Amino acid sequence: MNGENHCEAEAESVRRRLPLTAVVTGVIACMAALVAPTIWGLAGAHPSRGLLALDIATGVLGCALSPVLLWRPVTGALALTVLAVLSPAATPPATLGALQVAQRRGFPAAAATAAAGIAAQAAQGLWRPNAGISFGWWLVLVTVGYGALVGWGGATRGETARSAGS
């Protein structure tokens, strides 16, 4: 079974256990629960930047695109990663994408997705720098975070494969 068929089989398994609308609603609600405080924090920290409309738009679009990760994790993750270049509000969905790819694809795809995420965060950090931490240290933390997502997803994938084999 190749990676794409395995992904479709896994998504089909989720669909059989729960109604599709419940799964999609759950993904969107979880992302909204992470995106909303991000937007609120950005608006409170930088009220004069005038980027609130962009933050809200990318946050809403990120939440809306998050269910794509259930069927097309790599495509969805890359689309969400592009949004993360524009606004920190798209970071939670983009990192969920990296985790989903790590859980449902092999290491090369997970590492490439993580590298794209790190590059997107670096571009975002240059365009919209964070106060209170240097760019270099912030990038180190982003890299460690994406590395942790790849490791966690790989460990989960390995555990799922072991339990399916027993």
Side-chain angles (χ1 to χ4, degrees), residues 33 47 51 59 71 79 98 109 116-117 125 128 145:
L51 296 172
W71 296 277
R128 297 177 70 171

Side-chain angles (χ1 to χ4, degrees), residues 4-27:
E4 192 65 32
N5 289 339
H6 175 70
C7 177
E8 290 171 10
E10 189 176 310
E12 182 62 31
S13 172
V14 169
R15 283 192 291 262
R16 280 192 300 258
R17 286 181 272 156
L18 292 171
L20 179 61
T21 54
V23 173
V24 169
T25 302
V27 169

Side-chain angles (χ1 to χ4, degrees), residues 65-145:
L65 289 176
S66 292
V68 172
L69 297 169
L70 298 171
W71 296 277
R72 301 281 184 231
V74 174
T75 304
L78 293 177
L80 292 165
T81 297
V82 169
L83 284 178
V85 171
L86 301 174
S87 171
T91 296
T95 54
L96 175 65
L99 178 62
Q100 283 292 304
V101 171
Q103 287 177 334
R104 298 169 64 189
R105 295 286 190 251
F107 178 76
T113 303
I118 293 166
Q121 294 295 321
Q124 179 198 109
L126 289 171
W127 180 48
R128 297 177 70 171
N130 292 303
I133 188 169
S134 72
F135 177 76
W137 279 114
W138 177 78
L139 197 54
V140 166
L141 293 174
V142 167
T143 303
V144 168

